[in-house]
């Protein structure tokens, strides 16, 4: 019998690359889905393609999204600088928040899943490092799954859709440990919000800071390529 | 005080044009959002722009969506013919169903709403004529609204998002009566799944059949331009 198919949202960063490894390890044939939404760090798009191949995904899709929707985020708006890491108030929503991003990404994944007959979608939502992003919380993910199971023809015909967020409660150290055990080559992944076009990291943004600390806390060498 | 803003999903058809008129009548400043998802009937895109202007929308956006996602629907796949109307089993999902379409459209509208500070999204879901589309049912719309209110920064900060589907339980006759009372010029709207490039309708697809019957049952002249 063929393996079940899954759609995996893959940004090319540490988290989503680990998620791809987990989905593969769980026996899924994976289709990876990346988005060009005008993000300043373009190197993650190349990274996602390489990582998709490295994990033997059965297909990789890069979808362009109109950037005019994603205003007022430091990840897309060239008039807002991505800040260095600061200990944020946990209640505060970071300037790197992109309006409804995960909702749009999951909705595209849902369409793709239904088109290819997949009942499983994987994504790298995580609340430990990203507690300020509303669309990374477990209650959001549950609400999304409930909505998805009312939205599609597949669901109406009894094919339940599962939204998997296997990292949601893991800290960076645990994520890295899991990925290393599954063979993820983290030197290929690009997490930095200010990566250069070779995919080399700045070392100082929120994303770099969490990642660096993860390797340090785990006591393994940080394979990240820095600028 | 300025009017509140609303994002209105506008396909250029009879239903969504009526929804725009309703949103305007409720006192909203409307931003209209249309999608080019590779639909065969291109004339509806021109129609949506005209209708948006006619109702004084404060902005009209046409967003391109990658068509590779929307496979296996007669509305986008040139290898599947749009059928003439047939009395479908109410349980059956039509071949014109597009995977996760409303979920994607609403998610784009959600991003736009958050970007512009709107707390209201209007769309033309209707279960009377489209009982076979899972993503037109009230329970789907409720689940979407619940998810949306967990998804965004605006919601996390207490700005509740409302998803309005004012046509959901109206039949075509009631929709047309409502729109005529609000000044909708239905000769400008394009509902046909097989419209030609002047926006003239075939008269025989599901969409034409429902529309034609609506005007007939209301006892008003059908202003639709036919091929």
């Amino acid at each position: 019998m063929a393996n079940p198919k899954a759609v995996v949202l893959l940004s090319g960063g540490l988290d989503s690359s680990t998620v791809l490894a987990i989905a593969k390890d769980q026996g899924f044939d994976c289709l990876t889905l990346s988005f060009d939404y005008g993000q300043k760090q373009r190197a993650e798009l190349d990274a996602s393609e390489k990582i998709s191949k490295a994990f033997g995904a059965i297909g990789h899709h890069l979808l362009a999204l109109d950037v005019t929707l994603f205003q007022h985020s430091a990840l897309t708006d060239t008039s807002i600088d991505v800040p260095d890491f600061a200990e944020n108030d946990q209640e505060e929503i970071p300037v790197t928040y992109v309006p409804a991003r995960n909702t749009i990404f999951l909705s595209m994944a849902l369409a793709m899943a239904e088109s290819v007959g997949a009942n499983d979608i994987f994504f790298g939502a995580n609340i430990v490092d990203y507690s300020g992003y509303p669309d990374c919380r477990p209650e959001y993910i549950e609400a999304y799954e409930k909505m998805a199971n009312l939205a599609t023809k597949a669901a109406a015909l009894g094919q339940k859709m599962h939204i998997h967020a296997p990292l949601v409660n893991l800290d960076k150290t645990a994520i890295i440990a899991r990925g290393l055990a599954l063979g993820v080559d983290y030197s290929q992944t690009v997490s930095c919000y200010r990566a250069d076009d070779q995919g080399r990291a700045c070392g100082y943004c929120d994303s770099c800071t969490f990642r660096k600390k993860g390797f340090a806390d785990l006591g393994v060498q940080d394979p990240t390529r820095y600028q």
Side-chain angles (χ1 to χ4, degrees), chain A residues 35 53 83 140 172 180 195 220:
Chain A
F35 297 94
K53 271 194 195 144
Y140 163 76
K172 204 57 101 192
L180 291 175
V220 298

Side-chain angles (χ1 to χ4, degrees), chain A residues 4 14 44 99 106 139 179:
Chain A
L14 184 148
E44 66 177 40
L106 285 173
E139 56 267 42

Side-chain angles (χ1 to χ4, degrees), chain A residues 38-213:
Chain A
Q39 58 272 64
K40 293 179 212 164
Q41 69 288 25
R42 312 296 295 172
E44 66 177 40
L45 301 179
D46 301 329
S48 63
E49 201 180 338
K50 273 187 212 148
I51 292 154
S52 178
K53 271 194 195 144
F55 276 91
I58 57 170
H60 175 65
H61 294 270
L62 174 64
L63 290 179
L65 284 181
D66 194 316
V67 301
T68 55
L69 275 177
F70 300 106
Q71 292 165 338
H72 311 312
S73 163
L75 295 191
T76 56
D77 190 331
T78 51
S79 69
I80 305 174
D81 284 333
V82 173
D84 285 346
F85 177 72
E87 289 291 345
N88 283 321
D89 178 339
Q90 290 293 305
E91 297 304 307
E92 204 173 293
I93 289 159
V95 294
T96 49
Y97 169 77
V98 176
R101 180 167 61 171
N102 283 347
T103 305
I104 292 174
F105 290 177
L106 285 173
S107 302
M108 296 291 190
L110 183 63
M112 178 163 290
E114 192 173 13
S115 290
V116 301
N119 297 320
D120 295 271
I121 293 170
F122 282 78
F123 86 123
N126 175 271
I127 48 161
V128 178
D129 291 335
Y130 298 94
S131 58
Y133 286 78
D135 53 1
C136 290
R137 295 173 296 167
E139 56 267 42
Y140 163 76
I141 299 163
E142 268 168 49
Y144 194 95
E145 186 175 270
K146 195 166 281 183
M147 181 279 293
N149 277 303
L150 290 165
T152 65
K153 183 170 157 179
L157 299 174
Q159 297 283 314
K160 191 164 156 46
M161 188 68 67
H162 302 276
I163 311 287
H164 304 254
L167 311 184
V168 74
N169 288 309
L170 302 185
D171 64 18
K172 204 57 101 192
T173 311
I175 294 170
I176 294 171
R178 190 76 207 283
L180 291 175
L182 295 172
V184 177
D185 174 1
Y186 286 115
S187 73
Q188 282 190 27
T189 66
V190 177
S191 303
C192 176
Y193 289 150
R194 304 188 287 205
D196 67 15
D197 53 14
Q198 267 86 52
R200 288 174 305 196
C202 75
Y204 302 102
C205 66
D206 279 20
S207 191
C208 279
T209 303
F210 292 133
R211 179 178 165 126
K212 212 182 249 182
K213 189 171 177 302

